[in-house]
């Protein structure tokens, strides 16, 4: 199912046009990034936690935001490096916000590691309705629309192969997991240390990719069994969450309660445990043990 295609002149599903624009913008930005990946480019630090921003981030962001602004001049756009633009006169009233992570994995790019993606999400009234993740390294794109499913180059993501692999891994108590954390968390944060220790001990491998959207797409495809995030950044959460949820992944809070992909919430409300239904009980048990060890039980 191609979000760009339409039936009889009408959108194939709600937000199909927005999804098509986002897919094209992400792929155009991806082409720019892959073409310059091995070039010399400027790098600057940002914040006090060692995070970086490169010329490539800025160029890809300018490209994506300009495409979105051209097609949706009234929408608010929030980008990783440039902050928020208010949109046109009707921007605030429309309740529509685009979130753009033009280069998720900047730290990887700086050290020459080809593990990075472009992420775009559209939220309406703070709820994610469109999510796009493009991987320039392998030239593939995955996208999701709320209520319409998640899709990739091979069609709909239903997670059948992933579910079977996950069941085997959980039976052996050695799933493959991914981990992400927000910037600026103190290294002596007790829950942070307990979570990573418990997840590493209870998994076959704990991937720390420094590119959350890459991990979300791997989970949606069934390549990994679960993903845990502690106080993650907001900019890339809606696109990844929607892609995984529409592919059949279950997402919960650290306490096992309901999780929301809404934007505008504090970082304490963004921590998550995500996995296939058959993997989730095991993952939540690992997290509960970590919380207890850290005195958060």
């Amino acid at each position: 199912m191609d979000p760009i295609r339409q039936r009889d002149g009408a959108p194939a599903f709600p937000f199909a046009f927005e999804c098509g624009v986002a897919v094209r913008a992400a792929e155009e930005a991806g082409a720019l990034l892959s073409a310059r990946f091995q070039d010399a480019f400027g790098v600057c630090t940002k914040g006090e936690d060692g995070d970086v921003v490169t010329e490539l981030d800025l160029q890809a962001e300018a490209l994506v935001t300009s495409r979105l602004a051209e097609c949706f001049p009234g929408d608010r756009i929030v980008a990783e490096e440039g902050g928020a633009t208010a949109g046109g006169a009707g921007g605030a009233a429309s309740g529509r916000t685009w979130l753009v992570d033009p280069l998720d994995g900047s730290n990887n790019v700086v050290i020459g590691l080809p593990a990075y993606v472009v992420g775009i999400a559209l939220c309406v009234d703070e709820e994610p309705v469109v999510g796009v993740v493009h991987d320039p390294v392998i030239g593939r794109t995955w996208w999701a629309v709320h209520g319409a499913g998640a899709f990739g180059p091979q069609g709909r993501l239903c997670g059948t192969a992933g579910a079977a692999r996950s069941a085997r891994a959980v039976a052996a108590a050695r799933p493959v997991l991914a981990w992400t954390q927000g910037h600026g968390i103190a290294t002596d944060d007790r829950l942070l240390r307990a979570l990573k220790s418990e997840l590493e001990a209870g998994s076959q491998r704990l991937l720390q990719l420094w590119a959350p959207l890459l991990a979300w797409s791997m989970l949606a495809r069934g390549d990994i069994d679960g993903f845990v995030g502690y106080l993650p950044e907001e900019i890339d959460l809606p696109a990844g969450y929607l892609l995984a949820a529409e592919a059949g992944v279950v997402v919960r809070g650290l306490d096992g309660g309901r999780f929301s992909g809404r934007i505008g919430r504090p970082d304490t409300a963004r921590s998550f445990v995500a996995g296939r239904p058959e993997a989730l009980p095991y993952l939540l048990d690992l997290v509960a043990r970590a919380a207890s060890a850290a005195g958060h039980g």
Side-chain angles (χ1 to χ4, degrees):
M1 188 175 197
D2 187 338
I4 301 173
R5 292 180 186 169
Q6 298 182 336
R7 296 194 302 252
D8 302 324
F13 46 82
F15 302 106
F17 176 67
E18 287 87 343
C19 188
V21 170
V23 166
R24 290 190 295 270
E27 292 179 346
E28 192 175 351
L32 182 157
L33 294 172
S34 61
R36 291 211 56 200
F37 175 73
Q38 297 188 43
D39 294 347
F41 49 81
V43 180
C44 298
T45 58
K46 62 177 182 179
E48 299 179 354
D49 56 1
D51 198 13
V52 300
V53 58
T54 73
E55 278 185 78
L56 305 189
D57 293 78
L58 301 177
Q59 292 173 4
E61 181 172 292
L63 189 157
V64 172
T65 56
S66 67
R67 298 294 182 268
L68 295 177
E70 288 169 7
C71 293
F72 312 105
D75 290 0
R76 181 171 180 254
I77 301 173
V78 179
E80 171 78 359
E81 310 304 338
T85 62
S94 73
R96 291 166 51 108
T97 300
W98 291 91
L99 289 93
V100 178
D101 192 341
L103 202 176
D104 186 29
S106 301
N107 286 277
N108 294 337
V109 170
V110 167
I111 62 173
L113 181 65
Y116 60 95
V117 295
V118 180
I120 303 174
L122 171 63
C123 295
V124 176
D125 296 330
E126 283 76 51
E127 294 284 357
V129 297
V130 172
V132 173
V133 178
H134 172 65
D135 187 334
V137 178
I138 58 177
R140 294 180 181 176
T141 306
W142 298 271
W143 64 88
V145 174
H146 177 67
F151 302 87
Q154 305 304 315
R156 187 163 192 148
L157 302 179
C158 60
T160 303
R165 200 185 83 78
S166 181
R168 292 195 300 272
V170 172
R174 300 291 289 176
V176 177
L177 307 176
W179 164 268
T180 189
Q181 66 190 67
H183 300 303
I185 301 175
T187 56
D188 61 353
D189 184 301
R190 291 185 64 187
L191 184 53
L192 169 74
R193 297 177 71 173
L195 283 167
K196 293 180 72 173
S197 176
E198 197 68 47
L199 293 170
E200 285 175 342
S203 64
Q204 179 179 337
R205 178 175 295 179
L206 183 64
L207 305 177
Q208 300 179 61
L209 302 176
W210 287 54
L213 285 169
L214 182 57
W216 279 115
S217 65
M218 293 175 70
L219 181 60
R221 299 194 304 265
D223 296 336
I224 60 175
D225 304 302
F227 186 23
V228 177
Y230 181 56
L231 307 179
E233 303 299 313
E234 181 175 71
I235 194 73
D236 45 41
L237 185 59
Y241 163 78
L242 185 65
L243 183 68
E246 289 291 328
V249 171
V250 180
V251 187
R252 294 285 185 264
L254 292 186
D255 62 356
R258 180 180 178 275
F259 182 84
S260 171
R262 290 175 63 89
I263 59 174
R265 302 183 303 149
D267 58 359
T268 51
R270 295 196 296 264
S271 295
F272 63 85
V273 181
R276 295 287 165 185
E278 61 275 13
L280 199 67
Y282 177 74
L283 301 183
L284 289 173
D285 182 62
L286 290 178
V287 171
R289 278 188 271 168
S292 178
H296 287 248

